[in-house]
Amino acid sequence: MNVLKSAQNSRIDIRTTDNEGATPLSRLREQIKPVLEGMPVCVSKPGVEEVKAFESLLRDIRDRAIAIGNERLEAIISKLREEDFDTIRRELQMLREEKKMAKIDWKVESFRVVELQIRIWLNRRSKHWKISWMHR
């Protein structure tokens, strides 16, 4: 785990679930539950220190991912101010795909709605510009 922690990975989304809906942490907790409940265990299970180290690793990954996500969103806001809508559209599509792969459907939908709102705003602005141009 120290190797993973020192790698400072932020590309893993710790909320990603497997086919049964379990996250990495929930799987680990499932594995150590018999140990914590004092039940006899036939195979080696992680101890409390290993669980704490794993949780720390996941928190570090999450925190780095949040920081990188914030930087990306700040860049999108900057592109909005610059009215660089092609770049914004590409960035939002990439974010949607990443969240889709991580099975975070509510974020996929959120980024889709943001893109739709930008399209609506651009359409209204375009119509307003055309109308004001015609009345000159």
Side-chain angles (χ1 to χ4, degrees):
M1 268 190 261
N2 288 334
V3 171
L4 288 173
K5 201 168 193 173
S6 66
Q8 296 197 356
N9 192 329
S10 62
R11 301 293 296 172
I12 302 168
D13 194 316
I14 63 171
R15 298 166 295 183
T16 301
T17 57
D18 61 18
N19 292 338
E20 296 170 1
T23 64
L25 186 56
S26 66
R27 282 288 179 213
L28 178 67
R29 287 182 175 151
E30 180 182 291
Q31 292 295 313
I32 65 162
K33 187 176 180 182
V35 173
L36 297 176
E37 293 176 352
M39 298 171 61
V41 181
C42 300
V43 295
S44 175
K45 302 285 182 181
V48 174
E49 291 305 314
E50 289 87 359
V51 172
K52 286 181 181 179
F54 188 68
E55 287 177 335
S56 175
L57 171 66
L58 292 180
R59 275 193 302 276
D60 288 348
I61 292 169
R62 177 204 60 208
D63 293 347
R64 280 191 296 277
I66 288 170
I68 290 169
N70 288 343
E71 290 171 9
R72 289 177 76 186
L73 292 174
E74 287 292 331
I76 289 172
I77 291 169
S78 175
K79 294 298 179 188
L80 271 171
R81 289 185 185 115
E82 297 168 12
E83 297 189 6
D84 184 353
F85 300 111
D86 290 332
T87 300
I88 293 167
R89 187 173 297 118
R90 281 193 305 273
E91 282 295 317
L92 289 172
Q93 287 172 348
M94 284 192 298
L95 286 168
R96 275 199 329 264
E97 284 304 311
E98 289 170 16
K99 299 309 174 187
K100 187 175 182 178
M101 288 175 42
K103 300 178 185 176
I104 306 171
D105 296 333
W106 68 271
K107 280 197 175 186
V108 173
E109 184 63 14
S110 294
F111 289 127
R112 187 190 69 76
V113 168
V114 168
E115 186 177 351
L116 180 61
Q117 288 173 334
I118 291 170
R119 283 187 197 167
I120 291 169
W121 180 80
L122 284 172
N123 191 28
R124 285 182 181 161
R125 187 176 86 162
S126 174
K127 285 180 182 177
H128 176 72
W129 182 83
K130 287 176 185 174
I131 290 170
S132 66
W133 180 259
M134 291 170 63
H135 292 297
R136 288 184 176 193

